[in-house]
Each structure stands twice: as structure tokens, then as C-alpha cells.
Amino acid sequence: MSRPHGIPLPSARRSSDSDEKESACADDKQGQPRPREGVRQLTGAERVRTLVESNASVSLTLPDAFDQAEWWTGVPAARTVTPDGDVILLVPGESAAARAAAHAQDDDLTAVIEITDVAPVSVPHRIRARARLTGWLTPVRGDDRAVCAALLAERHPVGELLGLAESQDPPYTGRPAWMMLRLEVGEITLDDLWGAEQVDPDELAGAEPDPLAAHETELLQHLASAHADRVADLCGLLGSREAAGLTAVPLALDRLGLRVRFTAGSGRSSFDARFDFPEPVADVCGLRRAMRALFAAAAR
């Protein structure tokens, strides 16, 4: 068969609203602001793995489905990445994906995962990332089920996992409430705040999700609502007065730094500034220390 190809403180760097006009992340004519080169960032594989295991919107499709009514198979309840770089999906047992995978030969069912990440705060150009993973879908069978269920439970402690105890191997006594599917990834494309790129699927296995990903939504919303004045003070680290009079909203957060979107009052022009932490943070406690250092530098 043919397989698919498918800051050190106190400095800051900004991306101009003129950068990268055309992008899958654009939601109007201006397009998503992009960073300039030289900014510390997660690797493409780390960003993809973070997206896969985040709460971002995800869909699963079967491009070669015989029944085109089942081409779009819905939304997996949970997903994770195995040590080998495969993506494990938890889907309803009655879903089109579960039925198709159960009846297809191994490695014979092409599938596509599409992930869309939207900023949890109100800003222009709210779509922060889109990722597309193409590969081959098979059911998780035998001894692998316990291992994969443990991985899913670690990343997504959801009640649906309780249904996995039902039999998924023949002889079938009824379709299980939930089924785990394995996507062997053959191609990855990523278009996000950092730019558009192809990511090597082999790099996904060794990549780690960002440790702040599970807390990012709550942290950004807290910064925007309770510390808006201190976020605005970060303008002072830009090295110019051109940001005076702009609104400042925290847009994205990872272990390496904070990205803030500055927007003119008309809302027609915006740019991003990335404020790198003195050193990578490993948890929320480390983040608090890094943010205190960042705000202290801005207050000088």
C-alpha cells in the first residue's frame, strides 16, 4: 500500500504585524503576528506533542472511508502519545472510527487528526495553532490495552476510561462503550504562533509536552483579569515608547517564557512581544518566581 506523506530579562523581542501575512492561523486580512528569529522556543515536535495532549479542539477523519457520511468521525474523548510516538485515541465504541478500525486490516486505514488551539483570552487572531497528523489507524489490542489505558489516564483522568475493561478482542460479546485506537503517524504539519513547518514524526516520541500546558488556560485568564496592569507594564521592557496607549493581553505561556499581544485601540494593528524567563520553569512554583522577576524588571 502507499502510505501518506503527508527572554533573558530584561530584554524582549517583538513580532511585527507585517510579518507572515498568509497563515492558516490568520483570522482576518492582517494575519497572525509572528516572532522574529533568535527567540527561544519549544521545538516543533514539543509543540505538537503539547497540542496532542492538551484540551485543544480535535477532530478525526477517515479520508478513504467507503461511506462518505462517515468521512468525519467526530471528536475523540482523550488522546496521548506513546513512547514510540504513536497517538492513542479514546473514541466511543459505536463511532464510525471504531467500526472502521475494527473491520480494516492492520495499517490499512488512513486517518487524519486535526487540532485547533484557540487562545483562552480575548485577543485579535485567537487561533494560536493548527496541527495535522496523518497516519494509519488500528485498534489497540491485547496486552497493549492496559499500557495505553494507563497512559491515557495519566494525561486525561476521565470517567470514560472505566469502560475500557469491556472486551475488545474476539469473540465479541457486544461492542464496548469505548475503544482505544492507535494512529501510527506518517506525516505532521504545524502552523502556529512560531510559524509553519513540517515536523518529523520520529521526533514526536522523544518530545515532552510543556509542563505548564495543563495550567495555561487558568494562568492566562488569571493574568488577564487580576494582573492586567502588571502585564501592561511589560511595555517598559520593549526598549521604546511605541507601545504607549496599546492594550496588552497575555496570549501564550510555556516553560521558556510569556507571549503578550499588544493591540492598538482600533484593534486594527497588533504585535506580539515574547518575554523569556531567566531559565526554563518546570512547574507552577517555578513560574511564580519567573513572573515575579519579570514584573520586577518591568517596574524598574
Side-chain angles (χ1 to χ4, degrees):
M1 62 173 287
S2 176
R3 295 202 159 191
H5 300 295
I7 113 158
L9 296 174
S11 65
R13 297 177 176 88
R14 59 171 280 182
S15 57
S16 168
D17 58 290
S18 63
D19 293 343
E20 300 289 343
K21 299 286 186 178
E22 298 298 328
S23 166
C25 289
D27 54 16
D28 65 13
K29 293 182 179 179
Q30 174 184 303
Q32 187 71 261
R34 301 285 196 171
R36 297 190 183 279
E37 294 182 0
V39 182
R40 289 191 302 165
Q41 60 182 281
L42 305 181
T43 68
E46 288 172 329
R47 297 186 333 257
V48 169
R49 179 149 187 177
T50 299
L51 285 171
V52 169
E53 299 188 347
S54 72
N55 292 323
S57 174
V58 62
S59 66
L60 173 64
T61 58
L62 306 176
D64 298 330
F66 178 77
D67 184 353
Q68 288 302 302
E70 295 187 345
W71 184 86
W72 184 82
T73 67
V75 178
R79 67 265 185 185
T80 193
V81 178
T82 71
D84 294 328
D86 297 336
V87 177
I88 303 300
L89 305 168
L90 181 67
V91 301
E94 293 294 336
S95 67
R99 295 197 303 271
H103 291 92
Q105 296 180 356
D106 287 355
D107 295 339
D108 198 32
L109 183 63
T110 303
V112 179
I113 300 173
E114 293 183 292
I115 306 172
T116 302
D117 176 43
V118 180
V121 290
S122 180
V123 291
H125 325 297
R126 288 190 66 180
I127 297 178
R128 302 189 301 182
R130 285 194 173 102
R132 178 183 174 96
L133 294 83
T134 304
W136 307 273
L137 201 65
T138 56
V140 177
R141 297 190 174 102
D143 294 340
D144 286 344
R145 287 180 300 161
V147 175
C148 291
L151 288 173
L152 279 171
E154 180 182 350
R155 298 295 184 188
H156 302 273
V158 293
E160 286 86 348
L161 293 173
L162 297 176
L164 293 176
E166 301 180 48
S167 175
Q168 300 181 62
D169 291 325
Y172 293 106
T173 58
R175 191 170 296 278
W178 298 92
M179 180 178 284
M180 286 182 293
L181 302 178
R182 181 192 306 274
L183 183 78
E184 181 187 346
V185 182
E187 183 180 68
I188 303 173
T189 59
L190 173 66
D191 190 358
D192 64 2
L193 296 171
W194 299 104
E197 63 179 283
Q198 295 271 345
V199 176
D200 186 342
D202 291 337
E203 295 179 0
L204 191 60
E208 288 292 333
D210 189 79
L212 300 181
H215 311 284
E216 187 197 23
T217 293
E218 180 183 358
L219 291 167
L220 290 177
Q221 292 174 344
H222 177 72
L223 283 172
S225 61
H227 301 290
D229 55 340
R230 304 190 75 177
V231 174
D233 287 344
L234 295 176
C235 293
L237 297 177
L238 295 178
S240 71
R241 299 184 180 276
E242 62 180 322
L246 300 182
T247 61
V249 180
L251 176 66
L253 184 67
D254 58 51
R255 70 174 184 270
L256 299 179
L258 170 70
R259 181 191 292 262
V260 177
R261 179 151 297 168
F262 295 93
T263 306
S266 64
R268 295 181 180 178
S269 177
S270 61
F271 67 88
D272 287 358
R274 170 76 174 189
F275 301 93
D276 290 349
F277 299 142
E279 58 185 22
V281 301
D283 50 35
V284 174
C285 290
L287 175 65
R288 291 193 184 101
R289 292 191 295 270
M291 292 303 301
R292 283 196 295 266
L294 184 61
F295 290 146
R300 294 192 188 104

